[in-house]
Amino acid sequence: MLDVSIEEHLAAFRRGAVDLIDEDELTKRLELARKQGRGLRVKCGMDPSSPDLHFGHAVLLRKLRDLQDLGHTVILLVGDATAMVGDPSGRNKLRPQLSRDAVESNMRTYTDQAALVLDMERIELRRNCEWFDAMKFEDVLRLTGRMTVSQMMQRDLFKKRIEEDQPIGIHEFLYPLMQGWDSVELECDVEFGGTDQLFNLLVGRTFQEQVGQPPQIVITSPLILGLDGRKMSKSYDNAIGLTDTPADIFGKAMRGVDDDAMPIWFELLTRLDAAEVAALLAGHPREAKVRLAMELVALVHGRDAATEARAAFERQFVQKELPDDIPELDFGGTWPLPLAVLLREVGLASSGSDARRLITQGGVRLDGTVEKDPNRSIERPGDRLLIQVGKRRFARVGATGA
């Protein structure tokens, strides 16, 4: 491990964590690893259930890169065997099984995409078919004997499916067993996953204890929601892909990341100083979102690409739509005030109800970004605020009052 304090290592593990089971164990493991002159073995599994990775995956990849830089051994486990079972997490219906050919096809781009964030020269890249393909039927029986049905039914997802009279395939019970056994084979010190993976990660701890290994530390991170508010997934068409162009990443972030979600995006996917993030979030939301979009592009394409993506977005979606002669309107009342009130006061809406209708229907843009909350508090603009109502009405609104 690099010669930095244990507290600095702990801070990297803690960042964005929802569950950390448990920190005392992690501290002891870090102290022991330092005495032994090694880093911890940190596992993150990804199933090639689709051909592309997205920024939901990047949450863990970004964290793994931090740990790489601190000298820990990162194990990127490609779950080619578990992908054929299918992770039931977040699924209220029977999960279809993938063929080996489909899994192999999806795997072809995984390492290239992970390399956009991770240093692949310092990765221990493994596939869980290494041990599962070698198992005989009696080995599978012994694996299933490590958990009871009642233990498996403690998983909220399975209980919910039964309550809703939804089928559960026997093969779906195998998934947490297989993920847990991966940790035994890899002798992991730590395993990361999303909050929906907590049950599976804890199975790994149980299995390691059963075979006499120190139980792994379990750390979960929040799930980044997709652009429609559901779990980010290519199948939902709500994802920002790691292989998207810089322009697409920037544009999707500007149009699709909800203002209320920006704090968690900043925390999990950027490494900006907390004070800088707080200042951004306290200012104009569009400026914060522009910075977030630039950081997302920079993560996978570099800083120069981020700068160009911002310039291209401004050219395409702001400057291109502006008429030559935009009226300048001034509001002399008290700031801040709700957006609907501001539209009414400066004459961009005939009444408060008209303003609310325009806003909730998506007909109002602030500095090029659609705003659908009529109660959105508008701070006194340092410069003039560009407001667009419908396709043709524009105004630059300034402040003359307190």
Side-chain angles (χ1 to χ4, degrees):
M1 294 192 295
L2 292 181
D3 189 20
V4 299
S5 69
I6 294 295
E7 183 56 38
E8 289 177 87
H9 286 274
L10 286 171
F13 281 101
R14 285 191 204 111
R15 182 174 182 129
V18 176
D19 303 289
L20 201 171
I21 305 172
D22 67 26
E23 189 167 316
D24 288 343
E25 287 184 37
L26 177 59
T27 302
K28 293 174 184 176
R29 201 75 62 92
L30 286 167
E31 291 170 344
L32 177 61
R34 168 160 287 178
K35 290 177 182 177
Q36 296 173 341
R38 65 176 182 89
L40 297 185
R41 291 179 59 76
V42 180
K43 166 194 169 190
C44 180
M46 291 187 178
D47 287 352
S49 52
S50 67
D52 297 303
L53 299 179
H54 51 64
F55 274 85
H57 299 108
V59 170
L60 292 175
L61 293 176
R62 186 69 184 84
K63 196 172 186 74
L64 293 176
R65 180 55 189 260
D66 291 343
L67 297 174
Q68 275 191 312
D69 293 341
L70 287 171
H72 298 287
T73 300
V74 169
I75 307 165
L76 186 61
L77 177 67
V78 179
D80 47 355
T82 41
M84 289 188 289
V85 174
D87 182 6
S89 297
R91 303 281 174 166
N92 290 328
K93 296 182 179 179
L94 185 66
R95 180 71 182 252
Q97 295 171 263
L98 296 179
S99 68
R100 187 175 292 271
D101 287 345
V103 169
E104 289 294 330
S105 176
N106 291 340
M107 277 188 59
R108 290 175 190 143
T109 60
Y110 259 43
T111 53
D112 289 342
Q113 293 174 54
L116 294 171
V117 181
L118 295 174
D119 181 351
M120 299 304 288
E121 293 184 358
R122 292 186 288 156
I123 283 289
E124 184 176 321
L125 183 65
R126 304 292 293 272
R127 298 171 57 163
N128 59 11
C129 69
E130 294 173 31
W131 41 91
F132 287 123
D133 280 1
M135 280 190 173
K136 297 179 180 179
F137 186 65
E138 55 263 37
D139 298 320
V140 176
L141 289 178
R142 279 193 289 270
L143 179 61
T144 59
R146 292 184 177 274
M147 284 190 73
T148 66
V149 173
S150 62
Q151 287 175 315
M152 192 68 71
M153 293 312 300
Q154 291 174 14
R155 188 171 190 182
D156 290 342
L157 171 70
F158 291 141
K159 287 193 290 189
K160 183 178 179 182
R161 296 244 300 259
I162 287 179
E163 290 169 358
E164 296 178 352
D165 199 27
Q166 295 287 346
I168 301 173
I170 295 296
H171 70 284
E172 293 183 281
F173 283 165
L174 293 178
Y175 190 94
L177 304 181
M178 294 171 73
Q179 185 172 338
W181 194 251
D182 290 340
S183 295
V184 172
E185 292 285 347
L186 296 170
E187 299 184 48
C188 301
D189 290 303
V190 181
E191 182 171 12
F192 281 100
T195 50
D196 60 338
Q197 292 288 308
L198 179 59
F199 181 89
N200 298 351
L201 305 184
L202 293 174
V203 172
R205 280 176 63 87
T206 299
F207 285 0
Q208 286 178 308
E209 287 185 295
Q210 288 177 358
V211 301
Q213 292 181 9
Q216 66 186 12
I217 312 303
V218 165
I219 302 178
T220 65
S221 296
L223 300 177
I224 288 287
L225 297 180
L227 304 181
D228 60 359
R230 294 183 291 174
K231 180 179 177 179
M232 186 174 288
S233 170
K234 287 281 185 177
S235 62
Y236 292 152
D237 194 27
N238 67 354
I240 305 178
L242 295 187
T243 55
D244 285 351
T245 65
D248 283 343
I249 293 172
F250 195 97
K252 287 179 181 180
M254 291 297 296
R255 292 188 295 271
V257 177
D258 188 82
D259 288 355
D260 292 338
M262 283 197 291
I264 194 69
W265 281 73
F266 272 115
E267 180 179 13
L268 298 180
L269 287 165
T270 81
R271 291 302 178 259
L272 298 181
D273 180 80
E276 183 178 1
V277 172
L280 284 166
L281 295 174
H284 196 289
R286 185 179 186 277
E287 294 176 5
K289 194 169 291 185
V290 165
R291 183 60 184 277
L292 174 63
M294 290 187 68
E295 293 298 319
L296 297 182
V297 175
L299 178 61
V300 292
H301 291 294
R303 190 63 58 184
D304 290 344
T307 301
E308 175 52 34
R310 175 180 181 174
F313 183 85
E314 297 287 351
R315 288 193 301 268
Q316 181 178 0
F317 293 101
V318 180
Q319 298 173 12
K320 181 180 178 180
E321 297 179 355
L322 300 184
D324 294 332
D325 185 18
I326 298 176
E328 294 189 352
L329 306 176
D330 292 306
F331 175 65
T334 301
W335 302 83
L337 73 164
L339 175 58
V341 174
L342 179 62
L343 295 188
R344 182 194 67 202
E345 292 297 316
V346 298
L348 290 174
S350 59
S351 65
S353 59
D354 181 44
R356 297 181 72 84
R357 178 186 59 79
L358 289 167
I359 296 166
T360 56
Q361 291 180 356
V364 175
R365 291 176 180 265
L366 302 183
D367 285 335
T369 301
V370 173
E371 177 55 64
K372 293 186 177 182
D373 181 6
N375 296 316
R376 158 82 176 277
S377 180
I378 305 299
E379 302 288 338
R380 180 188 178 95
D383 198 355
R384 289 187 175 272
L385 176 64
L386 176 64
I387 301 180
Q388 178 183 350
V389 179
K391 293 183 178 180
R392 297 181 178 83
R393 297 183 67 193
F394 292 83
R396 296 189 188 276
V397 176
T400 59

